Amino acid sequence: MKHSFPLVASLMVMLAAAAAAAGAADIKIGFVDVERIRRESAPAERASKQLEKEFAPRAQELQRREAQVKSLQGQLEKDVMTMSEGERRSKEQELSRMSVDLQRLQREYREDLNMRRNQELATLFEHADRVIKQIADAENFDLIVQEAVFRSPRIDITERVLKVLSDGK
């Protein structure tokens, strides 16, 4: 989730004020790299493999149709001089129809794949948020952020989140 700079700055000022008001009370802050969770977590890898498996037949069908279009286009270019006008027009219409169908199928494939990928990512991030909350509760974190312009490696808890996700908890 993207935040505007003023919102983040305001949050940091409020945290600093809260720390001052608490009088030297330690505030424990953590950071989680959401992009690493998306790329490296075991559930993300499983989801990616599942999506590949689920969409492989459609991808193969698209490749087959694309080869048909290229083949017909090559045949048309090769035989254009020896074809009658009617035959040429018929082949061009067939090629046009096949190209339009291929483009439609490719668009539907991309839309369906993106929709399923977004569903899987939503599930992953819901699970990751529960894990982050568990870690925050167990280790008494006051704040865990997911975006920052700068962060010290010592507050990065991404590895712990990845470990819990890979353990399947």
Side-chain angles (χ1 to χ4, degrees):
M1 186 181 315
K2 297 284 182 197
H3 297 288
S4 65
F5 178 74
L7 179 63
V8 173
S10 297
L11 178 63
M12 297 309 283
V13 169
M14 290 185 334
L15 279 172
D26 288 334
I27 292 181
K28 190 169 181 181
I29 298 174
F31 173 79
V32 176
D33 186 340
V34 177
E35 192 58 30
R36 275 191 66 202
I37 301 293
R38 187 188 64 73
R39 278 192 328 264
E40 299 175 18
S41 70
E45 291 173 4
R46 283 192 302 270
S48 179
K49 288 177 184 168
Q50 173 61 32
L51 287 173
E52 278 180 33
K53 183 179 175 183
E54 183 177 326
F55 283 86
R58 286 177 66 182
Q60 291 169 351
E61 176 64 16
L62 286 172
Q63 289 173 346
R64 185 185 68 74
R65 286 182 182 237
E66 191 172 355
Q68 283 179 333
V69 168
K70 286 180 182 178
S71 173
L72 182 58
Q73 186 174 15
Q75 179 187 3
L76 184 62
E77 289 172 0
K78 180 180 133 192
D79 297 339
V80 72
M81 295 300 188
T82 60
M83 290 181 175
S84 69
E85 182 67 22
E87 193 178 11
R88 182 185 59 77
R89 228 176 305 157
S90 175
K91 290 282 187 189
E92 286 174 344
Q93 287 174 346
E94 183 182 356
L95 177 61
S96 177
R97 181 188 52 76
M98 288 174 69
S99 294
V100 167
D101 284 346
L102 177 62
Q103 289 172 0
R104 179 184 52 80
L105 289 172
Q106 288 171 329
R107 184 180 60 251
E108 289 173 357
Y109 172 82
R110 282 190 308 271
E111 289 171 356
D112 291 348
L113 179 60
N114 285 334
M115 184 178 69
R116 281 287 294 122
R117 183 179 295 126
N118 289 340
Q119 289 171 341
E120 292 295 329
L121 284 174
T123 301
L124 167 66
F125 289 133
E126 286 172 9
H127 186 196
D129 285 348
R130 286 192 302 272
V131 167
I132 292 166
K133 176 85 170 92
Q134 289 170 353
I135 291 171
D137 290 343
E139 298 181 25
N140 298 317
F141 278 92
D142 296 303
L143 174 70
I144 295 182
V145 295
Q146 295 180 344
E147 289 185 28
V149 174
F150 172 79
R151 76 227 178 227
S152 168
R154 90 186 142 76
I155 66 166
D156 192 339
I157 63 168
T158 306
E159 279 302 320
R160 287 183 260 175
V161 174
L162 287 170
K163 181 173 178 0
V164 173
L165 287 171
S166 71
D167 291 345
K169 293 183 182 176

